[in-house]
Amino acid sequence: EEIAQRAEYGKGTLYNYFPGGKDEMLYAVVDELYDDLCALIDVSLPPSDPPPDRARFEYFIGRMFAYFSERRELFAILMKEAHRMGFSDSQDRVRYFLRQRGRLADALARPIARAMEHGELRALSAHAVAHMLLGNIQGCQMILALEDATGTAQCGMGTDARWQPGDAARFVTTMLFDGLLSESARTPGGS
């Protein structure tokens, strides 16, 4: 109803464009969203540039946070529907969700693999790192969205301070490049 109202169409007219009903409308939105995210990866970490380093990854991660910050309603829909699709009894819905998530991970695994080949990141499974990175971005964005919706700060930036996309990007980049080990634990002979 809300889509029809915003588009200034009757619901019947809207279904003329989407004969598969609500699922087809949702898939159209999700397709466009994942197209945007794959394009964002390609623009932020282009294969024609030198292998991405810490600064390029932070730039990309910041753009991901900014993308969702500018589209909070879309992010909320994606989170709700992704869980419904991923844990659906319908194998078609689960496969659709996995295909979309997989193509995003594939797009991100390519620059991650380049960074690993050139020693910017530790050599691990590029796809596993891509999924981990996407999950961390999603988790932090979820906290940002909930903080915005409730007016509370939960990320430890101070009692009243809320993370901005750049803060979240620096945090996730630090986790990607430095992990949780302290500086002394990372250096030989450290305690």
Side-chain angles (χ1 to χ4, degrees):
E1 289 178 17
E2 185 179 341
I3 293 171
Q5 187 177 26
R6 285 188 184 189
E8 298 180 2
Y9 287 127
K11 279 174 51 176
T13 303
L14 193 57
Y15 284 118
N16 287 337
Y17 291 98
F18 298 97
K22 291 179 184 178
D23 274 355
E24 190 175 341
M25 280 186 246
L26 174 63
Y27 292 162
V29 170
V30 172
D31 287 347
E32 188 172 322
L33 170 73
Y34 277 90
D35 288 347
D36 287 353
L37 294 176
C38 286
L40 193 145
I41 291 168
D42 290 341
V43 166
S44 300
L45 304 168
S48 59
D49 282 1
D53 58 7
R54 181 185 198 109
R56 293 302 299 177
F57 274 102
E58 185 172 326
Y59 171 75
F60 155 69
I61 294 166
R63 298 238 357 231
M64 288 284 283
F65 282 119
Y67 177 89
F68 285 119
S69 291
E70 294 163 4
R71 297 163 181 83
R72 284 197 167 100
E73 288 179 359
L74 179 60
F75 180 76
I77 290 168
L78 176 64
M79 289 300 91
K80 291 174 192 173
E81 295 304 326
H83 286 92
R84 284 188 193 136
M85 280 189 263
F87 295 101
S88 173
D89 291 334
S90 165
Q91 291 300 308
D92 289 340
R93 289 182 121 213
V94 172
R95 279 192 288 274
Y96 171 80
F97 173 72
L98 289 174
R99 270 193 315 273
Q100 292 293 359
R101 186 70 178 198
R103 83 179 169 112
L104 188 59
D106 288 346
L108 186 53
R110 288 187 290 275
I112 287 172
R114 288 179 45 236
M116 289 174 179
E117 290 166 7
H118 288 85
E120 295 291 338
L121 291 172
R122 186 173 161 191
L124 298 167
S125 164
H127 275 86
V129 172
H131 282 290
M132 183 272 314
L133 182 53
L134 292 169
N136 281 297
I137 291 169
Q138 177 183 324
C140 286
Q141 185 60 46
M142 181 80 71
I143 295 298
L144 291 171
L146 292 172
E147 285 181 351
D148 187 54
T150 62
T152 60
Q154 298 291 315
C155 288
M157 296 283 295
T159 55
D160 296 326
R162 288 191 214 146
W163 272 4
Q164 298 300 313
D167 301 320
R170 274 186 294 287
F171 174 77
V172 172
T173 303
T174 298
M175 294 303 297
L176 175 65
F177 280 85
D178 302 330
L180 292 173
L181 288 178
S182 67
E183 191 67 37
S184 63
R186 279 187 277 153
T187 57
S191 53

